[in-house]
Structures are given as C-alpha cells and as structure tokens.
Amino acid sequence: MAGFDALIDEYMDFLAVEKGLSINSLTAYSADLCRFSGFQTKRGITNCDRLNREDVLAFLDWLRSRGSAPSTVARTMTVIRCFFKFLHAERLMKQDLSSRFEVPKNRRPLPTFLTQSEIVNLLEQPDINHPLGLRDRAMLELLYATGLRVSELINLRTSDYTGRDGLIRCVGKGNKERIVPVGDTAVSFVNRYVEEVRPRYLKRKTDFLFLSTRGGKLTRQGFWKKLKQYGQKTGIEKKITPHILRHSFATHLLENDADLRVVQELLGHSDVSTTQLYTHVTRKGLRKIF
C-alpha cells in the first residue's frame, strides 16, 4: 500500500488532467490533504487502509479545536471524502471510507454587497485626470459591469476585450470560458484606458490588458491595495473587498428582475444553488422594506 504522499500526488494528477481544476484549486486541495495526512502520521497512521471512521472524526475535532471556521471544516471534509472515493474507485484503498462519515452542514453566509449609491461613491474615487486613476476607474467599472472575479480581471488579455462589440471573454474556475457583455459606461472607460494609458506603461512586449507602472501584469495584491485605499476614502463602513463588486453586480441584477439562470451564466457558476444565495439577499431587502 502506497503512503499518503504518493496517493495525494496521484489524486492531484487526476484532478488536474481529468477534472481540469485550476492551479489555485489544486493548491487548496493539496494543502487540505497534506494537513490531514500530517495529523494521521503523527498518530502513527502512515497509510489509508489503517484509517477508520474514528480517525477521520478525530481530525474533524482537531480542526475545530484550532478555531477553524465551519466553512473551512466543511470544505476540508468534502475534499477528504472525495479523496477516499477516488482511492476506492481506483482500488488503491480496500474500504470506501467516504460513506462512513457525514460532511458537517455549513450555513453559507449571505454575501455582503454595496447599494447603488455606495457603488457610485466607490467608482468615483479614482482621479481620472491621472493615468493611474483612469486605469483604476476602468478596472472598477469593468468589475461592477461584468461581475468578473479579480483573478479573471487581472488575467485578461487585449484579445479578450472587444470594445466595439461591448463583449469580454474570460477564463474562470476549472478553465471554463465564458463571454460577458459590458455596459456602455464601462466600455467608455476601458477604451480610454486602452488608448490613453496602456501605451504609456507598455515597456515590454505583453498582451495583458491592465498593466502595472512597471509594464507587467497587475497583481491581485496590487489591485487589493488600491481598492482598500479607495474604500477608505468613501467612508463606507462595510468591508470593501474585491469580491464585493461581484456580489453587488449579481444582487443589483436580481433586484431589477434579471433571470437567475442568466446571472448564473454571467458569474460563471457551475451550480445554480451558488447563484441562489443572491435571491436570499434580495428577499431580505424586500422584507426590510415591507
């Protein structure tokens, strides 16, 4: 029987090749499984066939004792359960331990979003008379107009954006491609950025759409730092995160009677139940108004 490390490597290869998971997902799954194997190794268990239900529950208790959030515990246990299913299906593990324990139920928190007036306040913070301000305004407008994830935004290529048609092509989780329409306001700011600002920072050959002052791809950390500064200027008490623009995009669409399936496609959700979280947000608002 192979040890934990070899089995985890085999499972990661399966997820990468057969399932097409992104690097970020693979890294997270690997970290969860390595944490699990490390815990069991310290207890003297060095291969999966020696595991039983109590060993898995002991790890669950250990995660909780370390103050892990319920969502983290649920995600980790789901990863472990899928790992066991794979091992049993590939005959790398005699017993199907995945059926011996339940993944703890996790109540997903409702997403935080900005009101439309708060969105306007945030979007108007960058100084568009300055090149970097115009770049930042274009990025913020594009995020709110499309619901892109920040990772999708910073990885956009010049070939992904067609200002004439008002469409943007992005590659999301699991390397899934989708085409998203862009509103006129966002198009106008992105076009201005492309014409007036991008050539100024284009110091070496690259086709990334949004560039840093050094001429390379803008990092996620760089964008987050800028957004945090703009959020502080607004005086809005809510925690301003890159994802809050995505949440606001979805919530405002549904508040204006957009079809749930359309919003699901725009966000790139593989499961409509994820998108349905936003319907709870809008219902909560309706109850408050009532």
Side-chain angles (χ1 to χ4, degrees):
M1 176 67 185
F4 278 118
D5 290 345
L7 294 176
I8 291 172
D9 288 343
E10 194 157 345
Y11 184 51
M12 289 301 107
D13 289 340
F14 165 76
L15 293 179
V17 177
E18 299 292 333
K19 297 295 185 180
L21 263 62
S22 67
I23 294 296
N24 289 342
S25 295
L26 292 172
T27 302
Y29 285 23
S30 177
D32 287 339
L33 291 174
C34 287
R35 192 178 298 115
F36 175 72
S37 68
F39 173 81
Q40 300 300 349
T41 300
K42 286 181 179 178
R43 301 172 74 236
I45 301 171
T46 56
N47 67 64
C48 289
D49 271 332
R50 289 187 55 198
L51 288 170
N52 57 38
R53 181 174 181 272
E54 285 67 35
D55 296 320
V56 178
L57 294 178
F59 177 66
L60 179 66
D61 290 339
W62 178 77
L63 285 178
R64 288 170 174 157
S65 70
R66 290 173 59 88
S68 296
S71 58
T72 302
V73 174
R75 186 206 67 225
T76 304
M77 298 310 290
T78 298
V79 170
I80 293 169
R81 193 173 186 179
C82 292
F83 177 55
F84 288 155
K85 282 185 178 180
F86 165 78
L87 295 180
H88 182 66
E90 296 293 315
R91 298 184 179 179
L92 297 170
M93 188 175 182
K94 295 176 182 177
Q95 58 178 334
D96 183 7
L97 199 58
S98 66
S99 60
R100 303 287 182 85
F101 65 92
E102 293 292 328
V103 174
K105 299 294 182 183
N106 176 37
R107 287 193 66 184
R108 301 175 72 173
L110 295 179
T112 303
F113 67 98
L114 299 177
T115 64
Q116 294 189 29
S117 61
E118 288 171 335
I119 282 287
V120 171
N121 187 359
L122 179 62
L123 295 179
E124 290 181 344
Q125 291 307 313
D127 179 5
I128 60 174
N129 294 315
H130 187 279
L132 286 180
L134 183 54
R135 180 203 65 182
D136 295 344
R137 178 67 182 268
M139 295 178 76
L140 291 176
E141 290 280 357
L142 192 57
L143 274 183
Y144 177 59
T146 60
L148 294 184
R149 301 175 180 93
V150 174
S151 57
E152 295 168 346
L153 177 79
I154 62 176
N155 284 307
L156 286 174
R157 310 275 179 163
T158 52
S159 57
D160 294 329
Y161 173 71
T162 53
R164 187 183 309 165
D165 301 325
L167 296 172
I168 206 148
R169 169 189 171 274
C170 72
V171 179
K173 291 184 177 179
N175 290 322
K176 292 180 181 177
E177 180 183 313
R178 69 186 190 277
I179 305 295
V180 184
V182 185
D184 292 341
T185 303
V187 165
S188 65
F189 277 106
V190 176
N191 286 350
R192 281 189 60 188
Y193 159 76
V194 170
E195 294 167 7
E196 303 172 23
V197 179
R198 191 175 183 276
R200 178 180 300 205
Y201 296 116
L202 189 60
K203 299 175 183 178
R204 58 180 182 269
K205 189 175 181 180
T206 180
D207 62 346
F208 284 110
L209 181 59
F210 293 105
L211 303 179
S212 68
T213 53
R214 295 182 178 181
K217 182 179 78 168
L218 190 70
T219 65
R220 190 184 312 194
Q221 292 81 3
F223 178 82
W224 161 240
K225 184 178 179 181
K226 282 282 188 179
L227 181 62
K228 189 175 181 180
Q229 291 171 354
Y230 293 134
Q232 289 172 345
K233 289 180 180 179
T234 63
I236 297 171
E237 294 184 358
K238 298 170 186 174
K239 186 177 180 181
I240 307 295
T241 65
H243 228 56
I244 204 169
L245 288 165
R246 181 172 163 86
H247 294 328
S248 303
F249 163 80
T251 304
H252 295 166
L253 280 177
L254 290 169
E255 283 179 342
N256 287 279
D257 301 324
D259 183 84
L260 185 65
R261 290 287 182 182
V262 172
V263 178
Q264 178 191 358
E265 289 295 323
L266 293 174
L267 292 173
H269 286 160
S270 57
D271 191 340
V272 74
S273 65
T274 307
T275 318
Q276 281 178 327
L277 279 176
Y278 297 103
T279 64
H280 297 311
V281 173
T282 56
R283 287 172 192 160
K284 186 178 179 181
L286 287 173
R287 285 197 298 270
K288 185 176 180 181
I289 292 168
F290 181 76

